[in-house]
Amino acid sequence: MQNMMRRLARLMAVAGGLVLSALIVMTCLSIIGRRLGIGPITGDFELVEAGVAFAIFAFLPLCQITAGHASVDVLTNLFPARVNRFLRMVTEAIFAAVLVLIAWKLFDGMLAKKQHNETSFLLQFPLWWAYAASLLGAVVAAVVGIYMAGVRISECLTGRIQIWDGVETGHPMEAEQ
């Protein structure tokens, strides 16, 4: 299961990276067009807005499964491993709940945009498309978040590290492969 979740998270991150790369190229071409007097790419800012939203959600699953979120460990480094496992379990459960809430609200927003036929100003593309793209990343992030919460609950109950990501204290050989 862990390998499948990691592959899914990496796939989403690659998709986010490809979208960001395309946005960078488009932005550069738009700036060059302005400088040369040809003019910008019509709707470039609309595409950047939608693309960056997708990219943010596309990177969340990888950040979640690799414990890549920012953390301040000044105080927790003083706690015993058992307390840290409990704190990680609580944190992962909260992350999972928040990711599910975000996916749910994005879904609601997408339905509202679709129902009201809202479109972007210049390109007139349906706004729900951007919501749907972001929703894909949000749903994958929620699934990975739920999986990681389950892993951390199991680790807390058994005392055995199942996914070693460098945050834990102790020897890496304690981790199950």
Side-chain angles (χ1 to χ4, degrees), residues 71-85 87-88 167 169:
S71 66
V72 180
D73 300 328
V74 174
L75 183 60
T76 58
N77 286 338
L78 304 174
F79 297 156
R82 185 172 22 103
V83 172
N84 281 323
R85 279 193 305 272
L87 291 174
R88 289 201 66 197
V167 177
T169 57

Side-chain angles (χ1 to χ4, degrees), residues 11 23 30 40 46 52-54 61 70 79 93 106-107 109 111 115-116 134 141 147 162 168-169 173:
L11 178 67
L23 292 174
S30 189
E46 293 174 351
V52 168
F54 166 75
F79 297 156
L106 262 174
F107 179 74
L111 291 179
Q115 180 183 5
H116 294 102
S134 297
Y147 167 74
Q162 295 176 9
E168 302 82 0
T169 57
M173 295 309 291

Side-chain angles (χ1 to χ4, degrees), residues 39-168:
I41 295 174
T42 303
D44 57 351
F45 63 91
E46 293 174 351
L47 294 172
V48 167
E49 184 178 34
V52 168
F54 166 75
I56 289 168
F57 285 105
F59 293 132
L60 274 176
L62 187 60
C63 191
Q64 189 69 25
I65 203 160
T66 61
H69 298 291
S71 66
V72 180
D73 300 328
V74 174
L75 183 60
T76 58
N77 286 338
L78 304 174
F79 297 156
R82 185 172 22 103
V83 172
N84 281 323
R85 279 193 305 272
F86 175 77
L87 291 174
R88 289 201 66 197
M89 176 192 69
V90 170
T91 302
E92 290 287 356
I94 291 169
F95 261 121
V98 169
L99 289 169
V100 168
L101 178 65
I102 289 170
W104 170 31
K105 296 316 279 161
L106 262 174
F107 179 74
D108 285 349
M110 180 192 72
L111 291 179
K113 299 294 181 195
K114 188 174 182 180
Q115 180 183 5
H116 294 102
N117 296 318
E118 291 185 44
T119 60
S120 66
F121 182 69
L122 295 174
L123 295 178
Q124 295 294 302
F125 70 82
L127 289 180
W128 74 266
W129 292 356
Y131 276 74
S134 297
L135 179 61
L136 174 63
V139 167
V140 172
V143 168
V144 170
I146 291 167
Y147 167 74
M148 289 304 297
V151 166
R152 299 305 179 203
I153 289 168
S154 174
E155 288 177 351
C156 189
L157 295 176
T158 65
R160 297 187 65 168
I161 297 170
Q162 295 176 9
I163 296 180
W164 184 269
D165 54 27
V167 177
E168 302 82 0

